[in-house]
Amino acid sequence: MKRWFLIYCKRHEQKRAYQNLTNQKVECFYPKILVSSFSDGKAKKSEVPICPSYMFVRFDDEHGKMFSAIRSTRGVVDFIRFGSYPKEVPAALILALKSICSHEGASIEGENEGLEKHSLYSYCDKLGTIVKENNVEHREMMFVRMLSESRC
């Protein structure tokens, strides 16, 4: 059964890790948002990662070799763990992230088969607060804290 996990990437090597993981047929999700900034007196929108050093990966965890293959991938440091085993990320959290990161306002209704809408919208509320945080380090800490408190 495929499950989502969170990995920590080397600083400024997320694109490399993403490319190497997708070459290994590992499903990856690297959430980004649009941010407005001013440069030389001009307003400019750019896409930035919500949490720059983190990426979600989805694979069949029945095969123990995938854990070591992912950890050995260039750009990847390790899995995020709470205890000795990597923390599984709830599917509702991934769907909530996809809905927040969607610039077209795409609906998440089609993907949430078997998920409780209450938990899905609860994650959307929490993520809305995190996304509004301007300081990247605070945003990452809030995100990891939310993940540590979530139940799978």
Side-chain angles (χ1 to χ4, degrees), residues 5-23:
F5 295 92
L6 183 63
I7 58 172
Y8 185 75
C9 298
K10 294 178 182 173
R11 191 165 193 81
H12 305 295
E13 292 195 27
Q14 296 82 5
K15 289 180 184 177
R16 173 184 281 176
Y18 182 86
Q19 184 177 22
N20 291 329
L21 289 166
T22 53
N23 287 342

Side-chain angles (χ1 to χ4, degrees), residues 91-92 95 111-117 119-120:
L95 290 174
E111 294 186 53
N112 62 358
E113 305 270 333
L115 296 176
E116 293 181 26
K117 287 188 179 187
S119 64
L120 190 63

Side-chain angles (χ1 to χ4, degrees), residues 68 72 95:
S68 60
S72 301
L95 290 174

